[in-house]
Amino acid sequence: KATLLTAALFPGVCFVIFFSVNMVAWAKQSSSAVPFGTLIVLMFLWFGISLPLIFFGSYLGFRREVMSTPAAVSAIPRQIPPTPWWMSPACSAMVGGLLPFGAVFVEMFFIISSIWQHRFYYMFGFLALVFLILVVTCAEITIVLAYLHLCTEDYRWWWRAFLTSGSVAGYMFFYGGDHHFSRA
């Protein structure tokens, strides 16, 4: 059942959304509409390549022996010592998102200006470099903050690690709103 959902649910939802948007483009006789033959090729790639590979991978995965953990895990959770205020989830997420946002702040100004002020944006190679800097900076700051949480014997690092890099999206959202209401 999980294999079938993996093979059909996400690609199916994506295909339905894409097909619906493309139907609107066809109805408006837009030149950006994807031809019907290309949609057939996409369905062939999905059903002819992706689906069999997912079922083949699950077949291989179910045939393997169950992995065993090298350490015994206690059912009783360990008590976490009190942490300083700056290690709280909200504070670490805000601080963790500030550094990656600062790395892409200037480039984001030009992108938002090109969107909302009808300017042209030509530096797509530089944009790819800035995106790479954003990804590397997010990874580094997440690793450092997760290490600091583990050093304080706080084993609940999963959501904090996610929110550390995810808070960059909040900074970008609020900066986009600020740019829209103050400059557009």
Side-chain angles (χ1 to χ4, degrees):
K1 183 178 177 181
T3 306
L4 186 61
L5 287 175
T6 302
L9 188 65
F10 180 70
V13 169
C14 290
F15 186 78
V16 166
I17 291 171
F18 181 74
F19 189 74
S20 302
V21 170
N22 201 40
M23 289 295 288
V24 172
W26 279 341
K28 298 287 183 181
Q29 297 177 347
S30 172
S31 62
S32 65
V34 178
F36 187 72
T38 305
L39 291 177
I40 297 298
V41 169
L42 284 175
M43 286 186 65
F44 170 73
L45 289 174
W46 179 18
F47 289 118
I49 295 174
S50 177
L51 202 70
L53 284 177
I54 288 172
F55 280 110
F56 180 67
S58 68
Y59 170 73
L60 291 179
F62 281 121
R63 277 194 21 202
R64 293 193 69 177
E65 61 186 45
V66 177
M67 292 176 39
S68 63
T69 56
V73 179
S74 174
I76 301 170
R78 197 172 155 186
Q79 186 174 0
I80 299 171
T83 57
W85 64 270
W86 50 271
M87 292 297 284
S88 68
C91 187
S92 65
M94 287 190 329
V95 170
L98 195 58
L99 183 65
F101 175 71
V104 299
F105 170 73
V106 174
E107 188 66 21
M108 200 173 153
F109 171 78
F110 292 113
I111 293 170
I112 291 175
S113 295
S114 69
I115 292 172
W116 282 330
Q117 294 176 351
H118 305 293
R119 295 180 184 169
F120 292 106
Y121 186 79
Y122 295 109
M123 302 178 290
F124 292 107
F126 188 68
L127 176 65
L129 180 67
V130 169
F131 177 71
L132 181 68
I133 289 171
L134 173 71
V135 169
V136 168
T137 311
C138 283
E140 287 175 348
I141 200 75
T142 300
I143 290 169
V144 167
L145 286 177
Y147 174 75
L148 288 175
H149 287 298
L150 291 173
C151 282
T152 59
E153 298 179 12
D154 189 355
Y155 55 85
R156 300 171 301 179
W157 59 272
W158 304 282
W159 281 106
R160 290 182 184 201
F162 176 75
L163 291 175
T164 298
S165 293
S167 64
V168 177
Y171 281 111
M172 289 182 172
F173 177 76
F174 287 121
Y175 177 68
D178 175 60
H179 188 279
H180 178 69
F181 292 117
S182 65
R183 291 184 179 90

